[in-house]
Amino acid sequence: MRYAAHLLVVLLLGAACGNGAVPPDTADAAADVASAFACPPGTVATMANLVPLPVASTPDGGQFCLPASAAIEVNPPTPELLAIGQYLAAQLRPATGFALEVRGTATPQPGNIHLAKAQGKWALGEEGYGLTIAADGVTLTAAQPAGLMRGIQTLRQLLPATIEAGTPQPGPWPLATGTIHDQPRFAWRGLMLDVARHFFAVADVKRLIDAAAYYKINRLHLHLTDDQGWRLVITSWPQLSALGGSTEVGGATGPLFYSQAEFADLVAYAAARYITVVPEIDMPGHSNAALASYAALNCDNTATALYTGTEVGFSSLCIDATPTTKFVGDVLGEVSKLTPGAWLHIGDDEAKSTSAADYASFVQALQPMVAATGKKLIGWADIGHATLTSGAISQHWNPYDPTSVQLAVQQHAQALLSPANRAYLDMKYDADTPLGQVWAGLVDEQQAYAWNPATEVPGVGEADIVGVEAALWTETIVTLADIEVMTFPRLAGLAEVGWSPVASNDWAGYRLRIAAHGPRLSAMGVGFYKSARIPWE
Ligand code: TNX
């Protein structure tokens, strides 16, 4: 009981000042304080339903009920930490109806949630956190602000599912008392959204960011360009979006692209949740939208037609041509300026219409251009077939082709694992799934969850792997509801693969934990695939 020690200091100081106070039984006083936050008889609280599973959680059998008087205390009260406090308050206010004042203080007061940036007992790293729930309050500690954001997601999941409702709920708001300490296995736990095959407005992407944050996802990879569309304004090449962003798969028309201001807003929204946006410009294949927008990017100097089908592998930029080099430099320059994150994704997958020699020469020319922007290069695994400079990340995607990522790792590239038979959210869950594809097989909840990245690809071990990324390609995905039903619950399982210790990967246990998330996702208004494989609550 953290308040007992504080009370003792106050009483001893009082006695030392000779004010004549007669110290009451301090243990009783502390018990009174704690009992002020006791829960009504019959209240149930558990630490058992967290996803991702934390490294260590130790419930001690007690309960703390969040009182209406609770404040969110922040220490130190920097603008960054106060914003994190406001984020937490915004999550908890609608359902509780509590005021949840956010204020700076170094001294926790009973009944409050205290967020502190400090080196804890554990080496918590960039995203680790320690959470102590006592009978008289909550203390969340992290070495870095990102750790507080991750710990806040744990705290949300410890409260009843109704905490996620958008309107006042009756409560009470119990938390099981005890401690949790936690940190991720991998630094990169990503979600890719293809906004090129079908375009999704900023508001939809923000909804997805919010739901992904709940599972401690820390990268949002946006596949911004493909044959069917170019989705970001490039000021120096305006036709890319004006023409190349005018349609999508299925032929819908409109301005189907982000202005630079909209993109910056999206990046900031993700950053406030400690999610880094990784922009992808797919080259030299998957480039028809650019080839249709500018004749000079084609070897025959003739613009192609806009494309609204779903075939892959038919397009290529004209390699080594002067306009192409200028185009690549200008685009990477603008995109890097719009992106505070460390990475630029240059695609480079399925360049079936580019000769092997041209492909290698293109990737090798791209590397110094990316380096000149100050960013690190990430590409699909296929880049392993070129000579790689140090620091590249190769994103493994094709389960039928381990060679590409193996070649990259042999050149000391890091691997990001998105094997389509585990991590592709556009694969059908089962034969009954209305949306999606099957080229990598069916990916049910267990297939997405029960695997170990370090043993997935021979020759690619734990030390080579930067993390895992779920990928949602959108040939068949048209609405936000489509996105959600394909993303959840599989993203939660993949997030746990990326976060939790490998020894805790246990389908039988996970299946029950994720079942308890059904009411949580419903309360958030997030759709999910309700298969009978999971005993949804
Ligand atoms: C393969 S993954 C692709 C995408 C498709 C996806 C559909 C990758 C690097 N290329 O172009 O959208 O399959 O599942």
Side-chain angles (χ1 to χ4, degrees):
M1 308 226 181
R2 62 183 188 165
Y3 189 57
H6 178 65
L7 191 65
L8 190 61
V9 170
V10 171
L11 291 170
L12 289 175
L13 282 175
C17 292
N19 65 5
V22 180
D25 183 330
T26 49
D28 285 355
D32 287 349
V33 168
S35 68
F37 312 114
C39 303
T43 304
V44 178
T46 176
M47 288 189 172
N49 291 326
L50 299 171
V51 178
L53 194 70
V55 171
S57 56
T58 317
D60 64 19
Q63 291 183 351
F64 163 70
C65 262
L66 193 71
S69 62
I72 295 173
E73 302 165 338
V74 167
N75 179 33
T78 58
E80 185 172 10
L81 263 61
L82 286 165
I84 293 173
Q86 290 295 353
Y87 169 87
L88 174 58
Q91 300 306 316
L92 305 184
R93 276 179 194 139
T96 60
F98 298 167
L100 295 166
E101 182 202 345
V102 178
R103 58 173 182 245
T105 178
T107 318
Q109 298 298 312
N112 292 343
I113 300 173
H114 190 74
L115 309 180
K117 183 166 179 271
Q119 288 296 342
K121 193 154 103 192
W122 310 284
L124 293 169
E126 275 296 307
E127 294 181 282
Y129 64 91
L131 182 61
T132 301
I133 299 167
D136 61 350
V138 176
T139 305
L140 175 62
T141 308
Q144 299 297 333
L148 293 176
M149 179 57 58
R150 307 301 171 233
I152 283 172
Q153 309 312 325
T154 301
L155 188 58
R156 290 171 68 187
Q157 293 190 10
L158 290 172
L159 286 160
T162 49
I163 194 67
E164 302 304 336
T167 53
Q169 304 294 311
W173 305 108
L175 291 156
T177 58
T179 59
I180 291 177
H181 72 95
D182 201 10
Q183 59 188 37
R185 175 179 175 190
F186 292 114
W188 188 304
R189 303 168 314 279
L191 169 62
M192 189 214 78
L193 178 66
D194 170 10
V195 295
R197 270 54 176 273
H198 281 100
F199 179 68
F200 296 91
V202 168
D204 289 348
V205 182
K206 285 182 174 176
R207 295 259 310 160
L208 182 62
I209 289 171
D210 280 331
Y214 195 60
Y215 295 104
K216 301 184 171 70
I217 292 296
N218 69 352
R219 308 275 184 264
L220 177 70
H221 166 180
L222 289 175
H223 183 76
L224 289 167
T225 71
D226 212 302
D227 291 318
Q228 298 85 350
W230 186 286
R231 307 300 179 204
L232 175 65
V233 169
I234 301 295
T235 308
S236 52
W237 295 72
Q239 283 293 100
L240 290 171
S241 53
L243 181 64
S246 65
T247 187
E248 62 181 4
V249 168
T253 54
L256 302 173
F257 55 83
Y258 306 121
S259 71
Q260 294 199 352
E262 284 173 327
F263 185 75
D265 177 46
L266 209 47
V267 166
Y269 191 86
R273 285 140 188 83
Y274 294 82
I275 294 174
T276 303
V277 169
V278 179
E280 179 186 348
I281 305 296
D282 203 350
M283 307 175 280
H286 289 278
S287 54
N288 186 70
L291 297 170
S293 302
Y294 287 97
L297 298 175
N298 297 270
C299 284
D300 64 2
N301 205 29
T302 305
T304 60
L306 291 168
Y307 181 69
T308 60
T310 59
E311 293 302 310
V312 299
F314 61 85
S315 56
S316 180
L317 297 172
C318 191
I319 308 298
D320 290 338
T322 307
T324 301
T325 306
K326 175 150 176 30
F327 161 82
V328 173
D330 289 347
V331 169
L332 294 181
E334 287 196 38
V335 175
S336 68
K337 285 201 186 71
L338 285 169
T339 309
W343 300 275
L344 281 187
H345 200 305
I346 42 92
D348 284 275
D349 56 315
E350 299 177 309
K352 296 177 186 168
S353 299
T354 316
S355 72
D358 272 359
Y359 180 82
S361 125
F362 183 76
V363 174
Q364 282 147 218
L366 263 175
Q367 293 178 84
M369 297 174 84
V370 171
T373 70
K375 304 295 184 190
K376 295 180 196 159
L377 179 147
I378 168 165
W380 294 105
D382 315 40
I383 60 170
H385 294 275
T387 302
L388 298 177
T389 50
S390 70
I393 296 176
S394 153
Q395 185 168 10
H396 171 58
W397 62 276
N398 189 345
Y400 310 111
D401 168 30
T403 311
S404 296
V405 69
Q406 287 164 338
L407 286 171
V409 163
Q410 283 159 22
Q411 299 183 69
H412 309 293
Q414 288 250 281
L416 174 61
L417 295 199
S418 304
N421 57 332
R422 304 280 190 188
Y424 269 25
L425 302 175
D426 63 319
M427 292 303 123
K428 291 178 185 287
Y429 288 79
D430 49 46
D432 297 334
T433 310
L435 303 169
Q437 315 202 41
V438 293
W439 69 262
L442 299 172
V443 179
D444 69 15
E445 302 83 349
Q446 183 172 4
Q447 177 72 8
Y449 170 78
W451 61 291
N452 178 5
T455 56
E456 188 70 8
V457 184
V460 179
E462 183 99 14
D464 303 312
I465 297 170
V466 63
V468 298
E469 188 168 286
L472 182 56
W473 300 96
T474 59
E475 288 93 335
T476 66
I477 308 300
V478 184
T479 65
L480 177 61
D482 293 349
I483 289 180
E484 290 178 347
V485 79
M486 297 305 273
T487 302
F488 300 101
R490 289 184 294 191
L491 181 66
L494 290 157
E496 178 154 317
V497 169
W499 180 283
S500 305
V502 63
S504 68
N505 189 279
D506 165 44
W507 167 249
Y510 170 77
R511 185 174 162 267
L512 300 178
R513 278 185 288 120
I514 198 64
H517 283 235
R520 296 178 177 277
L521 292 167
S522 296
M524 284 179 216
V526 173
F528 60 98
Y529 196 74
K530 297 183 186 76
S531 90
R533 289 176 292 273
I534 292 176
W536 295 109
E537 282 181 11

